[in-house]
Amino acid sequence: MATVALNCSFFCTSVQEIRPPTLSATSDPPPIFDGTTRLYISYSCPFAQRVWITRNYKGLQEKIKLVPIDLQNKPAWYKEKVHPEGKVPSLEHDGKILVESIDLIKYIDVNFEGPSLYPNDPTKKEFGEELIKYVDIFTKEMFGSFKGDPVTQTSATYDYLENALGKYEDGPFFLGEFSLVDIAYITFVERFQLVSSEIYKHDITAGRPKLATWIEEVNKNNAYKQTKPENPQEFVDFVKKRFLGQ
């Protein structure tokens, strides 16, 4: 039942974490590979947000230290010592650096304590993997639609999510209970929903009641709420500049 997952999200992460300051080109590096587990993120990055949510949900705020990076003014040491491409997220753990958001949310779920984010049911696991594989198609189709007609071009994609949310009746999430699948999608859905509303005056949940309920329920989750962008308009401005020349 979804009750267990909701309880974990409400009680394990009920204390609001103070966000560490962002490190820029003039910032000194942390003592890398000193045994501390660090999650390198950007507060505005949806890929990094996935891993941040996972860390919070499992109650690992004391065990995985957040290190926010200014992607527009990166410290030289970040590319030299952490991620050669200068991207986020990166996880420093056990003397190595791990990357790629989907790989990292799975890694943290398996290798750290806290409530599991994947069900034991093999049928649900298989469906979950199918949905996680689809998330790249989803994001590419969303971004690809911005120069055309997003309302028409993304309709089938959102219908896919609506239908997927109807597969299990034991909770409002993709696999019934809150899981890695929800984490993989929500950081992009929240941004695309805002862009669709503000730029194209379209409600992506219109005619999709399960999608509407899913977004509402995820927004009750403290692990997620604590990671929401402080300036969501930043993504809207990014789309306008990058895709619409505004």
Side-chain angles (χ1 to χ4, degrees):
M1 295 292 291
T3 305
V4 175
L6 288 173
N7 282 344
C8 288
S9 67
F10 274 99
F11 297 114
C12 295
T13 61
S14 59
V15 176
Q16 183 67 41
E17 182 179 22
I18 297 175
R19 296 186 176 190
T22 297
L23 303 185
S24 66
T26 58
S27 304
D28 292 329
I32 299 169
F33 299 132
D34 65 345
T36 302
T37 301
R38 296 181 177 88
L39 175 59
Y40 297 88
I41 66 166
S42 163
Y43 288 132
S44 62
C45 175
F47 295 99
Q49 189 183 2
R50 288 171 171 167
V51 194
W52 187 8
I53 296 166
T54 305
R55 165 216 188 238
N56 288 359
Y57 183 88
K58 293 181 76 70
L60 299 169
Q61 288 87 337
E62 297 298 321
K63 296 196 173 182
I64 300 179
K65 183 178 179 180
L66 282 186
V67 184
I69 300 294
D70 183 347
L71 296 181
Q72 305 306 315
N73 188 24
K74 296 186 194 80
W77 54 260
Y78 184 67
K79 290 186 69 174
E80 293 167 0
K81 299 180 179 181
V82 182
H83 196 308
E85 296 179 24
K87 296 179 180 179
V88 293
S90 297
L91 182 71
E92 175 188 342
H93 183 233
D94 280 351
K96 56 185 181 290
I97 299 293
L98 305 164
V99 298
E100 299 297 335
S101 64
I102 295 297
D103 293 340
L104 288 180
I105 64 177
K106 292 180 177 180
Y107 180 87
I108 290 175
D109 191 41
V110 170
N111 290 281
F112 289 83
E113 63 187 39
S116 175
L117 276 160
Y118 235 34
N120 292 322
D121 184 330
T123 303
K124 286 189 174 184
K125 279 186 176 180
E126 183 179 357
F127 186 55
E129 284 301 313
E130 177 185 323
L131 290 171
I132 284 178
K133 287 178 182 177
Y134 184 75
V135 75
D136 282 342
I137 297 173
F138 169 76
T139 54
K140 287 176 183 176
E141 289 186 353
M142 293 299 111
F143 280 115
S145 74
F146 289 145
K147 287 189 175 182
D149 178 5
V151 176
T152 302
Q153 290 177 238
T154 63
S155 180
T157 309
Y158 284 120
D159 287 345
Y160 177 91
L161 299 188
E162 177 73 10
N163 293 332
L165 285 163
K167 187 172 179 66
Y168 296 106
E169 298 181 353
D170 55 342
F173 305 107
F174 282 107
L175 303 182
E177 298 179 11
F178 186 73
S179 73
L180 294 178
V181 180
D182 304 290
I183 292 173
Y185 279 93
I186 189 58
T187 63
F188 283 96
V189 171
E190 68 168 351
R191 288 166 171 82
F192 294 144
Q193 181 184 32
L194 183 62
V195 167
S196 184
S197 174
E198 293 213 2
I199 298 179
Y200 303 102
K201 311 305 177 186
H202 175 67
D203 178 6
I204 65 170
T205 66
R208 301 183 182 100
K210 293 182 177 62
L211 182 62
T213 298
W214 175 74
I215 293 171
E216 181 181 343
E217 291 299 323
V218 174
N219 271 280
K220 295 177 183 177
N221 188 315
N222 284 323
Y224 165 67
K225 287 194 295 185
Q226 293 184 17
T227 70
K228 294 188 74 169
E230 291 183 335
N231 179 20
Q233 187 66 33
E234 185 177 353
F235 186 75
V236 176
D237 294 340
F238 163 77
V239 170
K240 286 180 177 178
K241 182 176 180 181
R242 177 76 177 269
F243 297 96
L244 304 177
Q246 297 181 13

